[in-house]
Amino acid sequence: MSHQEANHEFCKRLPKIELHAHLNGSIREETLVELARERGVELPPEFHDGFHTNRDPSQFLNSKPRSLVDCFHIFSFIPKCVSDVAALERITREALEDAADENICYIELRTGPKILFHHEGEVCTKEDYLGTIIRVMESFERRELNRYEAIDRRIKSKTVEEAYENVDLAIELKASGCKQIVGVELGGDPTKNDFGEHFLPVFSKARRHGLPISIHCGEVPMARESRDRPDLVRAHEEALSILKFGPERLGHSLLISEDLGVMLDDLLIPVEVCPTSNVLTLELANHEEGCLLKGIQNHPQLRKWLDSKYPISLNTDDAGIFATTLTREYALVAKAFHLSKIDLSNMLIDSVETIFDPGKEKLKQAITTRVNMMLGP
Ligand code: 6MZ
């Protein structure tokens, strides 16, 4: 029975962990539409493009490709809708409720701190922004005693000063004993700013203060040399400087060049894989058929990583933007690569090693016990 292919129902029941979920990208579609209506924001037409029409979990259909450029266009509208503390509380609570529904027992939610407004029009500082999320997490933890929550702060700001400000906030909160801040990350539009040039000293400071780091890497094509495509060479240089820095985890890393792939095989830096996001933003799926499965089989790294037992975790990235759930991501990968229940469970258990919370041994033990009960003798 444990050698049967892992189906959707098994994936739903698995006690999963989510390590790569952007808070604003996890917004429920209906919440975004409602907040936009209330605040008089017109959402871009590509948001409504029939993308979210097929939710049959066993079909893996998405009717619309969503390129990285589309995504960043949509992202620019979300803060206009999540413009005050009430909206922030709501999307945080809903993200946690959705995670609980998916049997996610540990989540690292990542977000870039923003300046919002309180209901009375008073300014909500970045400290208040994080404080609000932490409060919602704490009250959720009290209700759901078996759950661990963590917030992984994202830092991809326009200026280096802003990035320092964000890292300093994380350092202060951690020093004050806040258990919800477990690390920092670098995300955002990969064509803007450069890790080595702009952010290396900021993340070195985070590291000196004991904060684990995750960095988005290899989301755009790269090449060590190119006569006419300086963008490819730039992307390669950035990825090289990220690998040399050696963050505790990498996001995506699917378009890493062959030479950097060899380097990664040596470094064994755990990678957060976000299957649907990767397939859609890379346009790997055959959209005529609207089928994600073929796309996932064409993922440039995943088959190799699974075969070699490279340290990876499965994640949603932006469940709201990509109309997905973590159960669906697990089921998609199991079906695409014919993974058995035991294979998928082992991958999950191994991925617990890569969480940022210091309580990983306890969590691993708890997940292993529950998985063993599911698999039976
Ligand atoms: C890079 C991404 C991303 O921080 O406002 N974000 N950055 N690659 C991706 N792959 C598709 N998906 C989301 O959450 C939304 C922000 O997360 C980053 C983008 O900067 C986006 O604006 P927060 O909560």
Side-chain angles (χ1 to χ4, degrees):
M1 127 90 177
S2 56
H3 294 284
Q4 283 170 359
E5 193 173 293
N7 57 16
H8 187 269
E9 195 231 318
F10 178 84
C11 295
K12 174 103 193 194
R13 285 175 53 224
L14 265 184
K16 297 173 286 295
I17 61 170
E18 166 76 88
L19 304 184
H20 191 126
H22 298 269
L23 175 62
N24 280 275
S26 303
I27 191 169
R28 290 179 190 163
E29 177 196 5
E30 51 277 23
T31 300
L32 183 56
V33 169
E34 202 179 305
L35 292 175
R37 199 180 47 238
E38 282 170 13
R39 286 150 180 77
V41 177
E42 202 175 319
L43 291 171
E46 55 269 41
F47 180 77
H48 299 287
D49 265 352
F51 179 82
H52 295 81
T53 51
N54 198 320
R55 282 184 181 272
D56 180 344
S58 62
Q59 293 300 310
F60 307 121
L61 293 171
N62 281 57
S63 57
K64 181 87 174 95
R66 196 152 266 189
S67 70
L68 255 196
V69 175
D70 290 341
C71 286
F72 283 105
H73 186 51
I74 294 169
F75 286 139
S76 67
F77 285 83
I78 302 180
K80 293 185 186 139
C81 304
V82 186
S83 53
D84 54 58
V85 172
L88 178 64
E89 276 171 355
R90 175 173 173 183
I91 66 161
T92 309
R93 183 174 32 79
E94 289 180 351
L96 298 180
E97 284 169 359
D98 291 347
D101 278 353
E102 290 299 312
N103 276 322
I104 292 172
C105 53
Y106 172 92
I107 182 166
E108 289 177 16
L109 270 181
R110 49 184 74 195
T111 191
K114 299 169 185 60
I115 294 173
L116 307 180
F117 289 95
H118 289 284
H119 212 55
E120 307 74 35
E122 217 179 290
V123 172
C124 161
T125 61
K126 287 183 177 185
E127 285 88 338
D128 293 343
Y129 179 95
L130 288 177
T132 302
I133 296 170
I134 291 166
R135 228 183 19 258
V136 176
M137 284 181 157
E138 282 172 345
S139 66
F140 204 82
E141 280 169 21
R142 274 195 290 276
R143 272 195 296 134
E144 303 260 332
L145 289 178
N146 291 330
R147 299 170 45 76
Y148 300 71
E149 247 71 63
I151 166 171
D152 175 3
R153 293 199 23 241
R154 181 186 66 83
I155 302 155
K156 181 109 185 179
S157 27
K158 283 185 215 86
T159 63
V160 179
E161 291 80 61
E162 217 182 316
Y164 268 117
E165 203 179 289
N166 291 351
V167 162
D168 286 344
L169 251 174
I171 292 170
E172 264 169 45
L173 279 162
K174 193 167 177 261
S176 72
C178 171
K179 299 248 182 309
Q180 277 77 18
I181 300 284
V182 294
V184 289
E185 77 116 31
L186 181 67
D189 187 341
T191 61
K192 308 246 164 72
N193 292 330
D194 179 80
F195 175 75
E197 201 180 318
H198 298 103
F199 298 110
L200 184 63
V202 186
F203 282 92
S204 302
K205 179 168 186 187
R207 174 169 281 169
R208 280 198 305 279
H209 284 83
L211 282 164
I213 296 157
S214 170
I215 298 188
H216 280 64
C217 185
E219 274 194 281
V220 286
M222 64 180 74
R224 191 155 57 163
E225 287 168 351
S226 169
R227 264 173 195 279
D228 48 356
R229 292 281 307 272
D231 58 315
L232 301 185
V233 178
R234 189 204 76 87
H236 182 275
E237 279 166 9
E238 178 173 61
L240 179 60
S241 64
I242 293 172
L243 294 195
K244 281 189 177 158
F245 175 71
E248 277 66 27
R249 291 199 315 248
L250 291 167
H252 307 299
S253 306
L254 72 163
L255 293 180
I256 205 114
S257 58
E258 217 175 307
D259 58 316
L260 296 189
V262 172
M263 193 170 163
L264 197 56
D265 285 342
D266 264 348
L267 293 168
L268 290 179
I269 302 174
V271 176
E272 305 145 0
V273 178
C274 307
T276 297
S277 160
N278 290 166
V279 167
L280 292 177
T281 56
L282 259 192
E283 305 183 33
L284 292 176
N286 176 346
H287 294 294
E288 308 274 280
E289 294 169 20
C291 183
L292 281 175
L293 269 182
K294 271 265 168 297
I296 203 71
Q297 287 161 346
N298 291 336
H299 187 289
Q301 310 289 344
L302 195 46
R303 186 182 294 272
K304 188 188 93 182
W305 284 339
L306 286 167
D307 287 348
S308 64
K309 304 224 175 329
Y310 191 90
I312 59 165
S313 55
L314 298 183
N315 308 280
T316 56
D317 204 4
D318 301 290
I321 303 299
F322 298 116
T324 192
T325 62
L326 192 56
T327 298
R328 193 163 175 257
E329 298 302 309
Y330 271 68
L332 178 62
V333 170
K335 193 162 172 119
F337 299 110
H338 306 293
L339 298 187
S340 66
K341 293 178 180 177
I342 193 141
D343 287 343
L344 198 68
S345 304
N346 285 339
M347 194 226 68
L348 162 67
I349 291 168
D350 289 345
S351 69
V352 181
E353 287 292 334
T354 73
I355 70 168
F356 283 171
D357 189 278
K360 71 175 77 156
E361 282 315 315
K362 208 168 143 205
L363 180 65
K364 193 170 174 182
Q365 195 57 53
I367 291 184
T368 308
T369 307
R370 277 161 69 183
V371 167
N372 285 342
M373 277 164 61
M374 283 175 68
L375 292 174

